[in-house]
Amino acid sequence: MTQLICAMQGKKIGHPVAGPMVGALSCLNENCLQEMADIHHGRAIGPVALTPLTPGDCRGLPLTGHLERLCRVWKSSCPPDPRGRIVFIEYVNGSPEKTRQLLQELLDGGFFRDAAGVVFGQFVRCGEDAEIQKILTEFAPQTGLPVYCGFPFGHTQNCYTIDFARPCEISGNALTFPAVQ
């Protein structure tokens, strides 16, 4: 899905939305089901508390993806455009070494250069939580952006839906999607 929605965003076609896979809908918790309805009906979402890695306020349209797929699509013929966007990254089934390598590839390739901020979602089956947290904490200041972790997005029962056409903002270590006017 990351490759498809990033291609749509990069070519400026369609209306990409990222969230739980269809097979996971029956397992989502009530909070995520309500958030999904709210995001699709233009209601406000949040504030959702985040853990700051490099604090700072930012605002922008979201761009989401699975870490490994973001690296692949960034090097493709139709990469996404992260300029001015808050980038949400999740990962599943990777090792700590691979996590570090992929983040470095995106950094070295200029992916974060003009982004507004970075929000790490869930890293599932990627090694010990403390080791992943250490990697993210060491990585964050290298971006020169506000970087946060702890957003409920990824491959678990606690997975929010993110609309690429809906601005979001981070202020005071919390993320909100304001109501659509």
Side-chain angles (χ1 to χ4, degrees):
M1 286 306 301
T2 295
Q3 290 167 280
L4 176 63
I5 60 178
C6 284
M8 290 172 68
Q9 189 271 332
K11 295 228 179 231
K12 298 177 179 26
I13 56 174
H15 185 137
V17 176
M21 302 301 283
V22 173
L25 292 177
S26 64
C27 299
L28 287 181
N29 66 38
E30 283 298 316
N31 186 43
C32 292
L33 290 171
Q34 182 61 54
E35 185 273 345
M36 183 184 295
D38 290 345
I39 201 89
H40 287 302
H41 288 96
R43 295 186 286 264
I45 306 297
V48 178
L50 301 174
T51 302
L53 299 177
T54 53
D57 295 346
C58 57
R59 178 177 170 74
L61 292 171
L63 172 66
T64 70
H66 178 278
L67 178 58
E68 190 168 2
R69 304 308 184 273
L70 278 175
C71 278
R72 185 176 302 150
V73 76
W74 181 242
K75 298 172 190 173
S76 75
S77 61
C78 57
D81 185 359
R83 285 179 296 165
R85 292 184 177 261
I86 297 176
V87 180
F88 292 77
I89 299 174
E90 54 92 10
Y91 194 30
V92 64
N93 293 329
S95 67
E97 296 78 22
K98 188 70 170 177
T99 300
R100 184 177 279 112
Q101 173 199 337
L102 293 169
L103 288 170
Q104 194 63 48
E105 282 181 31
L106 286 174
L107 186 66
D108 292 346
F111 180 79
F112 300 104
R113 186 172 303 125
D114 297 317
V118 178
V119 176
F120 290 114
Q122 299 156 352
F123 282 59
V124 178
R125 294 184 301 278
C126 292
E128 296 295 322
D129 288 344
E131 190 171 9
I132 295 299
Q133 188 65 33
K134 181 177 187 272
I135 290 167
L136 300 180
T137 300
E138 290 170 355
F139 170 78
Q142 297 177 62
T143 67
L145 301 169
V147 180
Y148 291 85
C149 65
F151 189 75
F153 181 72
H155 292 254
T156 70
Q157 295 176 334
N158 191 25
C159 182
Y160 275 27
T161 301
I162 300 172
D163 181 341
F164 278 46
R166 183 112 180 251
C168 59
E169 54 191 45
I170 299 173
S171 180
N173 301 332
L175 184 136
T176 59
F177 285 87
V180 175
Q181 301 299 326

